[in-house]
Amino acid sequence: MDIIKAIEAKQIKENAQNFSVGDTVKVYFRIVEGATERVQVYEGIVIAINNYGVRKTFVVRKISYGVGVERIFPLHSPRIDNIEVVRRGKVRRAKLYYLRDRVGKSAKVKELIQKKN
């Protein structure tokens, strides 16, 4: 068991989680097409975060040409270059699966406003 934990400890990215459920994020994902490699940006709302440690994943949902598209990303994947938070969301749930049934303005998440001192 210690061998597995040692291997997983090497694969964990430092400072990987700077977002939470309800946030709108841009995920910079590296895609290999034949011999070329490019970075594709996937922007959407984080509707779920699952598991822990190296196996931690998050689900990003976006609307593309009127159709809802969800994608699951491994948080500690070497293919993820960067995760940029576009806006913070104010939510009271751990999973936002109810957004799948919503259309239009009711599918929006309120923005979390930071208090200034």
Side-chain angles (χ1 to χ4, degrees):
M1 251 347 237
D2 294 333
I3 298 170
I4 294 172
K5 288 182 181 180
I7 293 171
E8 287 180 350
K10 292 178 186 176
Q11 296 176 347
I12 289 181
K13 289 183 181 178
E14 297 298 325
N15 303 326
Q17 186 167 2
N18 56 356
F19 61 93
S20 61
V21 174
D23 294 350
T24 302
V25 296
K26 284 184 181 178
V27 180
Y28 295 86
F29 196 71
R30 205 174 315 123
I31 294 177
V32 178
E33 295 173 334
T36 61
E37 193 172 293
R38 66 183 177 91
V39 175
Q40 184 179 36
V41 180
Y42 192 90
E43 182 175 355
I45 297 175
V46 178
I47 63 169
I49 297 177
N50 298 315
N51 301 327
Y52 57 91
V54 175
R55 297 173 196 87
K56 188 172 240 180
T57 60
F58 61 100
V59 181
V60 180
R61 179 178 175 81
K62 73 174 184 176
I63 305 297
S64 179
Y65 298 101
V67 179
V69 180
E70 292 182 6
R71 187 158 179 191
I72 302 170
F73 292 100
L75 184 64
H76 299 287
S77 172
R79 288 191 154 183
I80 293 180
D81 282 347
N82 186 20
I83 300 170
E84 177 185 327
V85 178
V86 177
R87 59 188 283 255
R88 300 274 180 191
K90 181 181 178 184
V91 294
R92 297 174 67 179
R93 296 177 183 267
K95 309 282 192 236
L96 302 180
Y97 295 139
Y98 66 90
L99 290 178
R100 293 172 176 166
D101 301 328
R102 304 278 177 98
V103 178
K105 286 188 177 181
S106 65
K108 288 189 176 183
V109 174
K110 291 183 181 179
E111 187 167 1
L112 183 65
I113 300 171
Q114 301 291 332
K115 292 183 179 179
K116 294 182 181 177
N117 293 330

